[in-house]
Amino acid sequence: MSTTAGTAPVIELDGVEKVFDVRRKTGTLRRTRTRVRAVDGISFTVPRGEVVGYIGPNGAGKSTTVKMLTGILNPSAGRIRIDGIDPTRERTRLARRIGVVFGQRTTLWWDLPLRDSYELVRRMYRVPDAVYARNLDTCVELLDLGPLLEVPVRQLSLGQRMRGDIAAALLHDPEVLYLDEPTIGLDVVSKSRVRDFLRGFNAERGTTILLTTHDLTDIESLCRRVMVIDHGRLVYDGGLDGLHASGESERTLIADFARELPPIDLPGARCVGVDGPRQSFAFPAGRSAAPLVAALAADHPLVDLSIREPAIEDVISRMYGATS
Ligand code: ADP
């Protein structure tokens, strides 16, 4: 189902702009007006069933785009269609076709058990009984929500709450799911659980997903396509490999040894820091760390190690460095 690409696009943006008029007090009587061009002429389409990463530094215009796609904000110019629907004109009809998850806040009712929140969603969207039962069963099973259904939302951990939120967004069978930082603040296990679920759900149902995240591992594990927005403009649209290549991005292997050692000359990487018994090595993001780890462990008293993924900000700033 996830390979229905080639049919009519489910998300369409053509020359979309959003300008905010900001009034600021600059004296007792004076106010200056400035215009912020948050989204500055963006065009793209997303075919049905695709999972797309929508990334960029803070203030790039990502949230503003998503708010326009959900009908919360109206574009200043340009054209948007979601499954053929104009979000500005038919916000209510659109609401039935989309699901939204914000990592930073919950759409669940704080004092109610999860099950009651879902019941309210069912009534709000008038979800047919069979559809509701099927979706709830799928989500409860795959997100392991069974033991949590009777627990008030405020008692859930962040990871549990996020799983609960994702289920709430899917109960009405949306065509399109917007996820805004769905793994923010989660531990490694919860993150991979959320990713596994999204991958499986997309494969099974063909739900189109637009994912905003600061975590490149989210993108790596979910998206074949990534769009980068900066200063309101689309600056990259393609595979993650191409993004890493154009940004020449690097991962960092952080190794702790049993004692202080002189900087190690490690083929395929460069030593970028020595801090007591800890040494850091940068290597190309597209390569596996395994040979480096094996080489270090073979010749040195290796105690512990971790890998730091490239930050999206670094990838993007290097991309500009490489292209300008
Ligand atoms: P991102 O989600 O990529 O961090 P946003 O879409 O939130 O970026 O913001 C893009 C730009 O638009 C920023 O400069 C931000 O300050 C500005 N902006 C966002 N919302 C408003 C608003 N309601 N009024 C004025 N400026 C805004």
Side-chain angles (χ1 to χ4, degrees), residues 52-305:
V52 187
Y54 195 59
I55 66 175
N58 289 331
K62 303 179 297 291
S63 308
T64 305
T65 312
V66 171
K67 284 178 189 161
M68 289 191 283
L69 296 180
T70 53
I72 296 171
L73 284 176
N74 294 337
S76 313
R79 180 180 187 272
I80 301 179
R81 291 291 179 275
I82 309 297
D83 211 11
I85 297 174
D86 178 350
T88 307
R89 296 207 176 149
E90 294 186 277
R91 193 172 157 189
T92 316
R93 193 154 83 92
L94 179 72
R96 290 171 183 274
R97 310 274 180 97
I98 62 174
V100 189
V101 177
F102 295 104
Q104 313 260 33
R105 59 190 158 89
T106 184
T107 50
L108 302 165
W109 282 264
W110 205 240
D111 292 314
L112 295 184
L114 216 42
R115 189 191 291 282
D116 294 6
S117 274
Y118 294 161
E119 192 56 34
L120 286 168
V121 171
R122 181 175 79 79
R123 288 189 208 169
M124 234 164 54
Y125 289 98
R126 298 198 192 98
V127 188
D129 289 349
V131 173
Y132 179 76
R134 180 176 84 128
N135 289 339
L136 187 60
D137 281 355
T138 305
C139 289
V140 165
E141 189 195 327
L142 298 180
L143 288 166
D144 200 10
L145 294 172
L148 308 176
L149 283 175
E150 313 307 330
V151 180
V153 170
R154 70 183 134 73
Q155 288 177 18
L156 299 177
S157 72
L158 188 60
Q160 292 169 336
R161 208 261 291 146
M162 181 52 60
R163 275 146 52 206
D165 256 302
I166 291 173
L170 292 172
L171 293 173
H172 63 293
D173 250 356
E175 293 279 342
V176 180
L177 181 64
Y178 303 113
L179 296 160
D180 188 6
E181 300 283 354
T183 62
I184 198 162
L186 302 191
D187 61 72
V188 178
V189 177
S190 302
K191 278 186 185 198
S192 77
R193 216 167 184 177
V194 165
R195 290 174 192 139
D196 288 348
F197 171 79
L198 293 172
R199 207 182 307 112
F201 197 87
N202 165 260
E204 192 188 313
R205 302 284 181 90
T207 311
T208 308
I209 299 177
L210 189 80
L211 169 71
T212 293
T213 181
H214 266 81
D215 191 330
L216 277 178
T217 316
D218 285 348
I219 303 278
E220 247 152 39
S221 60
L222 289 167
C223 311
R224 257 178 295 175
R225 175 181 173 196
V226 53
M227 287 187 272
V228 180
I229 176 173
D230 195 28
H231 294 103
R233 296 183 178 207
L234 209 55
V235 294
Y236 179 84
D237 184 351
L240 190 62
D241 291 352
L243 178 66
H244 280 314
S246 57
E248 292 171 355
S249 63
E250 293 180 318
R251 298 160 86 196
T252 310
L253 178 68
I254 301 158
D256 289 320
F257 299 101
R259 56 177 187 279
E260 290 188 24
L261 297 169
I264 295 168
D265 184 16
L266 186 61
R270 34 177 242 293
C271 184
V272 290
V274 179
D275 180 11
R278 168 171 290 190
Q279 298 199 16
S280 304
F281 305 90
F283 64 103
R287 299 253 183 88
S288 161
L292 305 177
V293 175
L296 282 180
D299 298 332
H300 307 283
L302 187 61
V303 180
D304 201 1
L305 50 84

